[in-house]
Each structure stands twice: as C-alpha cells, then as structure tokens.
Amino acid sequence: MYQIIAGRSTEEHGVDSLDVELFADYHQIHLSDDGSAGDLSEAWTDQAVVDRLAVVDDAMAIGTSVNVTVAVGVEVLDAPPAADLADYDHVVEGSMQVRSGRIVVMGCTDYEPDAVRVPVPVGPVRVRAASSNLAEAEHLGVDSDEAPQTMERLRVQVWPAPREEPVVLKRWVGESGLRQDR
C-alpha cells in the first residue's frame, strides 16, 4: 500500500519526480520494469544484504533499516546526478533493464497491479538509492514511521546509462549490524 505525497510532471516526460510513502516489509523496497518476472529471492546474497541492494536483469530491491513505512522520493534524470553523499547515510547504485518505459515502485509485499508506476527511458538505466535518517529510524524501530522527522528516507534517482556492476558509494556504519564490509 502506498500514499503519494507529491509529484511533479512535465508534458514531455510524464512524472519526473514522485514522493511516496511505502511499507518496507521484509526491510526492502522494490523497483522493476513494468511487466517484469524478475525473481529477487536468490539475489539476496549475504553481500547484497550488507550492501542493501539485490539486483536481477530488470528489477532490484533496496534494503531498508526498518520494517515499517518509509518515505521514498523518485527522480528521473537525463544524466548522472552530482555526488552529494554528505547528506546521506548509505548510498548504492545498480543497473537494470527497462523494456516497458515504466518502473514499478513498491514495497515487497504490495499488490503489484496497484503499485505506482513512473515513466523512465527505455533501455538500461542506472539507479542510485540514497538512504537518510537511519540512526533515528533504527533507534525507534517500529515506531519510526509515526512522524516525518523520525521516518527513514530513501531517495531513488534513475537515469539512462550502460549496465554496470552494483557499487556501494557510502556505507552505513550504524546500529543495524549491517556495517561489515566484505
């Protein structure tokens, strides 16, 4: 289940940004090509859990610190964003193939036909997932989603780019136990 908080669109590209609140069941948010049959279950390796990113051809799951509602912002860009790592606790990038021209953004147990869809370029895209407010969210746990100032926030940026391996640009070293590098 999701609640759209805000969105901005252009005539040429449809939605180019979206703010939504999603239930991060099993500590994850999913992005997939609309119509994807990608199975992320085996993509959650020990390293993917530590990195907070599981990737298959046309889908990915972004790990969260909490198993409650998180604030998710999606931005569709024409080019790679500037590196602004200082404002975030954990930042990862991965690639996925988009054949439909839309990505589905949802919690992992949401009903996919009802999930929000965002127009993106067809072809390979790069996704940067930047998480913030993790210390407060982890500290409060199941109560973190009761106020905007304590909610975990996830910024997702998508732009056209050749496929590359996933990378952690900044690693969270907080209370979650997901701090070990491998």
Side-chain angles (χ1 to χ4, degrees):
M1 187 70 185
Y2 67 90
Q3 177 182 358
I4 295 178
I5 307 303
R8 187 181 74 227
S9 65
T10 63
E11 282 185 36
E12 186 176 326
H13 297 291
V15 174
D16 62 6
S17 73
L18 175 73
D19 292 314
V20 64
E21 290 182 357
L22 296 170
F23 181 56
D25 206 6
Y26 296 100
H27 297 267
Q28 54 190 291
I29 298 297
H30 287 193
L31 304 177
S32 63
D33 183 27
D34 196 1
S36 167
D39 181 5
L40 288 160
S41 61
E42 293 192 22
W44 277 116
T45 63
D46 289 343
Q47 189 62 50
V49 170
V50 170
D51 293 347
R52 297 179 180 223
L53 185 67
V55 179
V56 296
D57 175 59
D58 62 353
M60 66 177 55
I62 302 164
T64 64
S65 288
V66 295
N67 190 40
V68 294
T69 301
V70 298
V72 180
V74 180
E75 301 172 5
V76 180
L77 309 170
D78 293 328
D84 57 352
L85 305 180
D87 294 335
Y88 297 92
D89 300 318
H90 188 85
V91 183
V92 294
E93 283 186 7
S95 296
M96 60 185 268
Q97 185 68 35
V98 176
R99 293 170 182 87
S100 69
R102 290 174 308 282
I103 57 170
V104 178
V105 183
M106 61 188 269
C108 103
T109 57
D110 286 348
Y111 183 57
E112 188 267 340
D114 290 342
V116 66
R117 281 150 170 81
V118 178
V120 298
V122 171
V125 296
R126 192 72 174 164
V127 177
R128 180 178 296 164
S131 302
S132 63
N133 209 33
L134 298 184
E136 190 68 23
E138 284 185 7
H139 175 72
L140 291 176
V142 297
D143 295 325
S144 66
D145 64 351
E146 292 183 8
Q149 61 271 26
T150 60
M151 187 178 282
E152 180 172 340
R153 291 184 288 279
L154 177 64
R155 181 184 67 183
V156 176
Q157 296 171 302
V158 182
W159 67 95
R163 179 172 290 283
E164 291 183 42
E165 290 299 312
V167 62
V168 177
L169 300 175
K170 183 176 183 180
R171 188 174 301 279
W172 170 241
V173 291
E175 303 169 15
S176 69
L178 298 178
R179 51 179 267 159
Q180 65 272 22
D181 287 313
R182 293 184 181 217

